[in-house]
Amino acid sequence: MTEPSIELELDVDATAGGFRIQSRSGVGGECAVDTRWDPEDRTLERRLRRLHVALLSSAAGTRRVAARDEKAAQELGTTLFDLLFTGDVRTLFDTTRQQAALRGSRVRLVLRVRPPELAALPWEFLYDQRRDDYLGLSMPLVRFPEVMDPVRPLRVEPPLRVVALSARPRTLDEIDAAAERANLETAISGLDRRGRVTLDWATGETWRDLLNALGRGQWHVLHLVGHGAYDEGHGEGVFFLATEGGASYPLRASRLAQIAALHPSLGLIVLNSCESATGSADDPFSSTATTLIRRGVPAVLAMQFDISDRAAVEFTRSFYAGVASGLPLDVAVRNARLELSLAFPDTLEWGTPVLFLRQRDGQVFEVPARSAPPRHSPSRTGSPPTGSPGTASPRPAQSPERSPHAPAPSRRPPPSVTARRAGRRRVPVRRWWALASGGLAVAVAGVAFTVLSGVGGTGTSVAVPANVTWTGTGVVLQPGQHVRITASGRISPRPGIAAGPEGLSVQTYPGLRLLSSSNYGALIGRIGGAAPFEVGAGTELRAPGGGELYLGTNDLDAGDSTGEFTAQVAMD
């Protein structure tokens, strides 16, 4: 299912001494603005150079983005924003954002920039300083070259099949092929285990190896790792394969497009090579990516700058998870950009990938909806059966004679208390008031614990509000400690949309997720500062490290969500 969105389309054409920007909005507005361009003004050129330096600096993996690097990105992004959104175009942009917010949807920005000198600019860094907002992180942003014959979505029966080739000609700068291969396999490993994505590698680095790999089956994605460049002589981008002797073999983009045309199941080519999105200042279709689009490839994901290994792994993991789930490619890229920026706040590399599409909606692959995961029963999670001897039960066992559809007997709900901890926000929790044979429910420091006689564990019940990113449970786990979590309740991540702890599948509502492998709005957890994990209706695990257990909903934009989950946490 396509994420609810309102499209804002911007067409940029050259005029005498400047440019004309035409804008059309899905809310019904349309306008055109003429703007002048001073070719002697070197401000944009200087800011581009500073951005290049900032990207190299942030890719080195320092503890945080230096203020000067962030400033370089914001200054360039502001210049690009002011160039594109001026006069009535800015007014229409603001109106579209307001209408999208009122409708509970998002803006989808489609750029069709025809002048080559403008098409080559890194529009992914567009920055609205009024909102302190990089548009590439807050909305799907796609470059949509004007081509004929858009393609229909390709129906994909999971798994999404990826074939990859890594080329390292000895006449070019050394590439650590083993590391590149390990990076891609690391990014896809979790998806592979769940049957969502498969990855095969070409056995060599030559054009024959590429043809042989593509001929082994029906592939959906071709992923190329290596060196790229712009060939001034032929006026198009190239990807460097190797010859039989190990020298470089420049495979021109037009030839790569001819190869791709022989495999109609290919819907996407990923170019993990520098300058694959860079072209001539005289021809907007001269880069490797745009040449492939013009020659019929449905979608191309290319790099406009070098990208570090850690950024490539994080972006690739999230991107392929979204694609395999059926997200439109532009939404998958937007989500992957945001996850990269959150995983590594010290880098600006989220702006390096560029998505080129041949069709408007970004739905290159049509992935059938998967059935919802089964609910976890208490017995599967290891929780004691309700009402069993020697346990404290949060609710009485249901009589077997009572119909499951009959209304529950009226009883007074348990009172709520609020845990107060020094230096921590107020966290709502509920006491377990039940007393059972051999079990005792007590409250310590405002947090409810149940001592389970004969089981040797303690438990707590925590309310997890939907409008808070993370809620501390007060449960501090030791490395290797066994913990079981079950959950119930309903939340509304968006007006008119309800979800249980399992969340909403991507096909039902994509949403902006913190954990790309889990459903939107699902209950998730983390221990200390470790990576988040899926909880859903129930899970159990051994803590990989020590720290407090936090619970939250899988929603990066949770501020307007309502409702709460109730989680029962038991520790051995």
Side-chain angles (χ1 to χ4, degrees):
M1 174 182 174
T2 303
E3 182 182 60
S5 63
I6 298 177
E7 188 171 285
L8 181 69
E9 184 178 343
L10 296 176
D11 283 272
V12 183
D13 285 296
T15 60
F19 304 99
R20 165 162 286 199
I21 304 169
Q22 299 182 75
S23 180
R24 288 174 290 277
S25 172
V27 300
E30 186 172 342
C31 65
V33 172
D34 290 321
T35 181
R36 297 193 61 80
W37 178 270
D38 182 2
E40 300 301 320
D41 186 354
R42 301 300 180 191
T43 302
L44 183 58
E45 182 180 335
R46 290 195 300 271
R47 290 181 174 177
L48 274 171
R49 285 199 299 267
R50 285 201 290 268
L51 176 66
H52 278 263
V53 173
L55 281 165
L56 290 172
S57 173
S58 70
T62 54
R63 291 179 60 188
R64 61 184 178 85
V65 176
R68 65 179 183 278
D69 295 339
E70 183 74 30
K71 184 179 180 181
Q74 291 179 355
E75 285 181 344
L76 175 64
T78 299
T79 300
L80 296 176
F81 184 88
D82 291 342
L83 175 65
L84 202 58
F85 297 99
T86 181
D88 290 343
V89 175
R90 180 173 296 196
T91 301
L92 185 58
F93 172 67
D94 290 340
T95 301
T96 304
R97 292 193 79 157
Q98 292 167 2
Q99 289 299 313
L102 290 173
R103 300 180 188 184
S105 58
R106 300 186 183 278
V107 176
R108 179 176 186 263
L109 189 59
V110 178
L111 301 181
R112 186 182 288 109
V113 183
R114 295 182 181 87
E117 64 272 32
L118 293 186
L121 295 174
W123 297 103
E124 288 66 28
F125 285 96
L126 279 166
Y127 179 71
D128 185 351
Q129 63 179 348
R130 302 170 302 169
R131 297 170 175 258
D132 188 22
D133 178 29
Y134 287 105
L135 302 192
L137 293 178
S138 63
M139 62 184 65
L141 187 156
V142 58
R143 302 197 189 198
F144 185 68
E146 193 167 34
V147 295
M148 303 297 289
D149 304 324
V151 295
R152 298 179 63 181
L154 300 170
R155 183 169 179 82
V156 174
E157 293 293 340
L160 186 77
R161 303 191 65 202
V162 180
V163 62
L165 181 146
S166 177
R168 47 186 179 89
R170 56 177 172 78
T171 53
L172 299 178
D173 291 342
E174 180 67 20
I175 289 179
D176 190 340
E180 293 284 358
R181 182 166 183 152
N183 288 342
L184 185 55
E185 289 175 349
T186 297
I188 291 181
S189 59
L191 302 170
D192 193 0
R193 288 194 299 270
R194 292 192 293 274
R196 296 170 64 185
V197 178
T198 63
L199 172 65
D200 276 12
W201 286 89
T203 56
E205 308 170 44
T206 70
W207 61 265
R208 294 184 192 277
D209 296 317
L210 175 60
L211 294 181
N212 290 337
L214 288 171
R216 290 202 304 261
Q218 287 195 329
W219 307 100
H220 305 124
V221 181
L222 172 61
H223 191 114
L224 297 175
V225 179
H227 288 290
Y230 176 72
D231 184 348
E232 294 282 354
H234 290 92
E236 63 179 305
V238 298
F239 178 82
F240 288 102
L241 297 172
T243 65
E244 298 291 349
S248 63
Y249 177 91
L251 179 65
R252 299 204 306 270
S254 56
R255 295 294 180 87
L256 178 56
Q258 289 174 338
I259 294 172
L262 300 176
H263 302 275
S265 63
L266 272 181
L268 169 66
I269 295 180
V270 177
L271 299 170
N272 188 2
S273 61
C274 57
E275 298 190 39
S276 52
T278 303
S280 164
D282 299 318
D283 181 4
F285 282 104
S286 59
S287 75
T288 304
T290 50
T291 298
L292 292 171
I293 290 290
R294 180 173 59 179
R295 294 298 187 96
V297 176
V300 178
L301 182 65
M303 304 298 156
Q304 56 186 337
F305 307 108
D306 288 339
I307 189 167
S308 66
D309 288 347
R310 62 173 190 156
V313 169
E314 184 64 36
F315 181 89
T316 301
R317 177 189 294 118
S318 173
F319 173 70
Y320 277 126
V323 175
S325 298
L327 285 180
L329 294 188
D330 54 331
V331 177
V333 168
R334 187 276 316 273
N335 289 357
R337 289 188 199 282
L338 186 55
E339 291 190 27
L340 172 57
S341 72
L342 292 171
F344 301 111
D346 58 338
T347 187
L348 298 169
E349 294 175 281
W350 52 263
T352 293
V354 182
L355 178 65
F356 297 85
L357 285 179
R358 195 177 171 84
Q359 59 210 73
R360 298 186 65 91
D361 63 2
Q363 198 71 56
V364 173
F365 299 113
E366 187 178 89
V367 182
R370 296 188 301 162
S371 58
R375 295 183 65 93
H376 295 270
S377 65
S379 59
R380 288 185 62 186
T381 62
S383 300
T386 303
S388 60
T391 65
S393 173
R395 58 175 61 88
Q398 179 175 299
S399 169
E401 290 82 12
R402 179 170 163 255
S403 166
H405 303 290
S410 174
R411 62 190 180 100
R412 186 177 181 179
S416 296
V417 297
T418 300
R420 294 176 174 85
R421 301 181 181 88
R424 187 172 297 163
R425 67 173 176 270
R426 295 160 64 90
V427 181
V429 299
R430 291 191 177 90
R431 289 194 181 101
W432 291 359
W433 288 95
L435 290 175
S437 174
L440 173 64
V442 296
V444 180
V447 181
F449 291 93
T450 299
V451 180
L452 304 177
S453 174
V455 178
T458 58
T460 181
S461 177
V462 181
V464 184
N467 62 347
V468 177
T469 304
W470 290 109
T471 296
T473 65
V475 175
V476 178
L477 299 170
Q478 301 302 316
Q481 186 173 6
H482 188 213
V483 59
R484 299 183 300 276
I485 309 169
T486 57
S488 60
R490 304 284 286 178
I491 66 168
S492 179
R494 291 289 181 274
I497 298 175
E502 303 97 333
L504 300 167
S505 69
V506 170
Q507 287 77 19
T508 303
Y509 194 90
L512 195 57
R513 298 166 293 162
L514 175 62
L515 185 61
S516 59
S517 58
S518 182
N519 286 341
Y520 175 62
L523 183 65
I524 59 176
R526 67 178 173 88
I527 299 170
F533 56 88
E534 181 177 357
V535 176
T539 191
E540 59 180 299
L541 71 154
R542 291 196 178 275
E548 183 177 1
L549 172 66
Y550 290 85
L551 297 174
T553 60
N554 197 21
D555 183 2
L556 279 173
D557 189 15
D560 56 353
S561 301
T562 58
E564 66 180 31
F565 294 136
T566 300
Q568 316 291 349
V569 183
M571 301 80 68
D572 291 345

